[in-house]
Every structure is written in C-alpha cells, then in structure tokens.
Amino acid sequence: MTRAQLERDFERFKRALPRDFAAHVRDSYRVDLSARYLGCPLAHPIGKGSGQLSLNAAQLADDAAAGLAYVVLKTVIAQDATGAQAMAAWAIHETRMKVERRPAGGRAGWTVTWKGRGWDRSFEEYLELVRTGRGITAESRMPVVPSAKYHLPRLGEPFRDEEYQYTTRRLAETWGVPPLLLEVDFSPTLAGDALAGDRAQILRWLREVPGRIRAASPTPARLAVKLMNARYDDAFQLEMMAACADAEALVCFNRLFDAERGVAYGGWELSDRNLRVLDATSDPLTARPPDRPSLVGTGNICSGRMILEYARRGCESVQLHTFFQLPLSEYPATHGSRTQRALHALVFHPQDGLVAGMLELEESGALARHDGVLYFLDVARRAH
Ligand SMILES: Cc1cc2nc3c(=O)[nH]c(=O)nc-3n(C[C@H](O)[C@H](O)[C@H](O)COP(=O)(O)O)c2cc1C
C-alpha cells in the first residue's frame, strides 16, 4: 500500500514537486524528516554545500522556491581593514567547471573538476550576498549561512588577528540578530598545499581557529568547521575531529585531493573514505564526547540511501554540491529547477529515496516508530 503510494508520488512529482514536500511526507507516510544544522531546526536534512552553486541571489531564490533545507554560501577569504589577505592565493578567479563521470570499484559516479578556490569578488559584494541571504531566510525560513577561510600560520608564527577581527566583525554586523552562524573551511586545495605538510600545524589550526573567531565576534557565534581530507591516514582524520572539540558542528569531510592533477575530486572514493572514518568515531575507544560537536555529512550524496548512510553515523543533516550539477538527463523529473529535480529523486525515488530507505530501516527492525511516526533524527541519534 505505502510502496504503491510512493511509486505514484514519484511519478506525479516528476512534473512538479510540492514546495512543502516534508509536510506531505509526514502526512502521507508518517515519516518525519526534521533535521538540524548548527542548532537550526530544518524541515528535512538536505542542504547545499558551499561552492559555485551559492554565489548569487538568483541561485538562492531558486533554492528557497524548491524547498531546500539550507544553503552555505561560497567561501570568502578573510581580510583585514586595508584589504590585505594572508590567504590571497585562495581568492583566484576561475570559471570553467567540468562535470565528469568518476567510476570507482565498478560503481558509476560523478565529480566536478574545477581549478578555482574561494570567492573572487570583493568582500563588500560578499557582504551584500549575506544580506540578500538574510532577507531570503526571513521570507522562506531557509537558513543561508556564510563560509570563510581565515589566515592559517605556520607553526611558531602568530595568527593575523587583524584579519580575524575585521572579517568576523563585518560578517556579524551584516548578519544582524545573533547568534551569527558561520562555516569555516579547511579546503582540499589546502590539503594539497605545502602549508598542510605538517600534522602538528594542522592540529594547532583546528584547536585555535574556532576560539579566535569567537573572540573576534562582537556577538555570540555558532561555528561549523568543514574539515578537509588531509593527505594522511584515517587515524589523523579522527585526530582532527578531536582537535576541533570547540566547534558546534563538524562538516565531514571536504573533497579528496589529486596531487598529480592538482585538483580536488569526489565520487565513491570520497564517500568510502568519509563513511569509514565516521564509522571509527562510533568505536567506544575513539568515541567523541556525547554533547558536541554535532555532525554534518558531505561527499558523493546522490541518493536518499546515501543520506541515511551518513545519518547512521551520526550526521543530523547533509550538504551536497555535485548532485545539484548533473546533466538534466540524469534526473528522473521532467520539469523544474535542478534543485527541485534533485530533491525529487533524493526524497521520493521508490528504491533509493529517503522515504523508501526509512521504511526499509523500519522493516529491518533498525528504526522504530514513536506514536506511529518514524523520525529521521532517530537514525542519527542511534549512532551516539
Ligand atoms: C566546484 C566546487 C567548488 C567548491 N567550493 C567550495 C568552497 O568554496 N568551500 C567549501 O567549503 N566547499 C566547497 N566545495 C565542496 C562542496 O561544498 C562539497 O562539500 C563537496 O563537493 C562534497 O560534496 P559532493 O560530493 O556532493 O560534491 C566545492 C565543491 C565543488 C565541486
């Protein structure tokens, strides 16, 4: 009965996805998709990761209209009051992106190849985008959160506090009503840089950066640290997570770095690695403290099933980039924006969608109803 209804919804929503599809899922299937990001309650777990798809007002408006849960803006490179940027090498201009197939272990997959790095326009233009995002949040309740990359010194060198102070103060003023929500990026190109050649240096950044941003903010701030996939083993990923105990959330983990080609990449190798490391965090010997930080998944999320893989390892929401960028022919929906088509497949696909996956967890006894309702957040809660 429920399966037949899922097939029917999948078919009819190919033409148009209801804006409040989470309410439809709750009413029709008694499945509650509520999720969380940096303490914000979300209608469902699917957000957009920072990158080339959150650069302008038109993209944000499309995402709000599609019913996306939240958006993280492109990463801006911090500066001081004179405009000096210690990390200026990350503020380069590059427009060409290539969406490519990247199979791994017999599985078809995708990656986006791109040589660019951070926000390449002025800081004032970035603040204008943050302001636009605040307006969209007020109208649609879709959180739009800035992302920044700050000065990262070599061991023994001091942090450039002027950059931390100026950038954070301007972001907080533009944001308005506290708390400021902010993501801090430690990007894959950083993992490929000589700066990240020293483990102690990376751990110092992770230990100190959240506190420096908090100290620089004139209002209370909630910080998500987006961790890179460093060029070391899984144990070091766990060390990085532990070093960041001071953040409110950890986004696990940004793309892998191909040193030969000098580009970041995703696909199955990325999700294999991320899920393997997150698995290790539920090992009692390496377990994180139960109260914080909360976890957010990213990497090769192309189905509701994959959202549940991250959720089963504790992630309370997810951030996608590549799946919002595929050729239109790859989505089963026939109408709507790419975001709508992606959401349609992620939520309603009768085999691989989020609803189907939740019902399957129930059938296998891995997830139980409360007062007749299945809760997405119960999947993440069980991981702790
Ligand atoms: C073209 C491109 C640009 C990106 N730029 C940023 C960025 O500026 N800051 C950031 O934190 N992550 C950035 N990312 C990482 C994505 O937000 C996302 O975490 C990552 O691609 C893994 O998700 P996916 O497999 O769904 O693409 C970028 C990814 C791509 C493909």
Side-chain angles (χ1 to χ4, degrees):
M1 168 63 195
T2 310
R3 294 281 167 182
Q5 183 177 2
L6 196 51
E7 301 264 2
R8 269 201 312 277
D9 277 348
F10 180 65
E11 285 307 316
R12 72 190 173 112
F13 294 158
K14 281 181 178 172
R15 297 186 59 82
L17 185 70
R19 164 73 175 79
D20 198 353
F21 61 85
H24 173 80
V25 167
R26 194 180 162 109
D27 295 343
S28 305
Y29 302 92
R30 311 273 285 150
V31 169
D32 185 316
L33 297 179
S34 301
R36 236 185 335 253
Y37 172 71
L38 273 180
C40 296
L42 306 172
H44 62 84
I46 306 163
K48 180 180 270 185
S50 171
Q52 302 322 98
L53 309 177
S54 47
L55 289 172
N56 58 53
Q59 290 167 329
L60 297 179
D62 273 358
D63 289 342
L68 200 64
Y70 67 107
V71 174
V72 184
L73 297 177
K74 178 68 189 170
T75 300
V76 71
I77 308 304
Q79 63 175 59
D80 66 17
T82 69
Q85 294 174 308
M87 307 297 278
W90 270 267
I92 56 169
H93 180 69
E94 171 66 59
T95 48
R96 283 191 43 215
M97 272 189 284
K98 207 161 156 215
V99 180
E100 296 179 300
R101 294 191 183 271
R102 189 174 177 109
R107 297 163 295 180
W110 294 93
T111 190
V112 181
T113 303
W114 181 63
K115 293 245 179 183
R117 292 178 167 194
W119 178 263
D120 60 7
R121 286 175 270 154
S122 73
F123 187 43
E124 294 304 324
E125 284 170 280
Y126 192 78
L127 295 175
E128 192 49 47
L129 187 61
V130 174
R131 219 168 277 125
T132 302
R134 294 300 280 157
I136 287 178
T137 305
E139 278 167 25
S140 66
R141 302 198 3 241
M142 177 185 81
V144 177
V145 176
S147 161
K149 180 195 227 95
Y150 289 82
H151 173 228
L152 300 171
R154 293 178 189 285
L155 268 182
E157 280 177 5
F159 282 86
R160 290 204 195 168
D161 279 327
E162 314 80 52
E163 291 192 11
Y164 279 78
Q165 275 155 12
Y166 181 74
T167 300
T168 313
R169 179 172 60 74
R170 296 294 312 275
L171 285 171
E173 286 167 0
T174 308
W175 178 268
V177 182
L180 165 69
L181 306 187
L182 178 62
E183 227 175 81
V184 191
D185 183 30
F186 288 83
S187 62
T189 46
L190 176 67
D193 193 272
L195 255 186
D198 184 312
R199 297 181 195 220
Q201 191 157 289
I202 297 173
L203 295 175
R204 174 193 177 207
W205 298 335
L206 295 171
R207 254 182 241 116
E208 294 196 28
V209 163
R212 282 179 188 273
I213 297 172
R214 242 186 270 287
S217 179
T219 59
R222 282 197 214 141
L223 304 175
V225 172
K226 186 163 182 181
L227 292 167
M228 60 186 173
N229 262 304
R231 286 170 299 158
Y232 304 111
D233 57 9
D234 294 1
F236 187 68
Q237 291 299 120
L238 296 174
E239 270 189 74
M240 290 200 303
M241 291 176 84
C244 248
D246 193 23
E248 272 77 16
L250 300 179
V251 187
C252 302
F253 301 99
N254 210 328
R255 304 201 296 164
L256 297 162
F257 191 72
D258 181 337
E260 246 167 58
R261 292 179 66 201
V263 293
Y265 66 98
W268 288 95
E269 289 141 281
L270 176 59
S271 51
D272 285 351
R273 155 104 163 181
N274 288 355
L275 295 174
R276 193 173 67 229
V277 172
L278 289 172
D279 262 339
T281 64
S282 49
D283 178 335
L285 290 177
T286 52
R288 299 171 309 118
D291 46 344
R292 60 197 319 221
S294 58
L295 298 180
V296 179
T298 191
N300 191 37
I301 296 170
C302 299
S303 70
R305 249 175 224 289
M306 186 59 93
I307 295 172
L308 289 169
E309 290 298 325
Y310 278 95
R312 284 172 47 198
R313 291 160 177 86
C315 297
E316 296 181 339
S317 68
V318 291
Q319 299 181 359
L320 290 65
H321 194 295
T322 301
F323 194 61
F324 291 130
Q325 242 182 321
L326 299 187
L328 282 184
S329 57
E330 293 298 314
Y331 303 105
T334 51
H335 293 70
S337 63
R338 271 198 172 68
T339 308
Q340 279 167 327
R341 293 179 199 222
L343 287 169
H344 165 259
L346 293 166
V347 176
F348 290 102
H349 193 284
Q351 281 82 45
D352 294 331
L354 193 49
V355 176
M358 295 274 293
L359 296 172
E360 209 174 283
L361 286 178
E362 181 190 23
E363 280 157 19
S364 70
L367 190 63
R369 289 182 186 266
H370 297 290
D371 298 326
V373 179
L374 278 181
Y375 290 89
F376 171 78
L377 279 176
D378 273 351
V379 181
R381 217 169 280 130
R382 284 179 59 254
H384 295 303

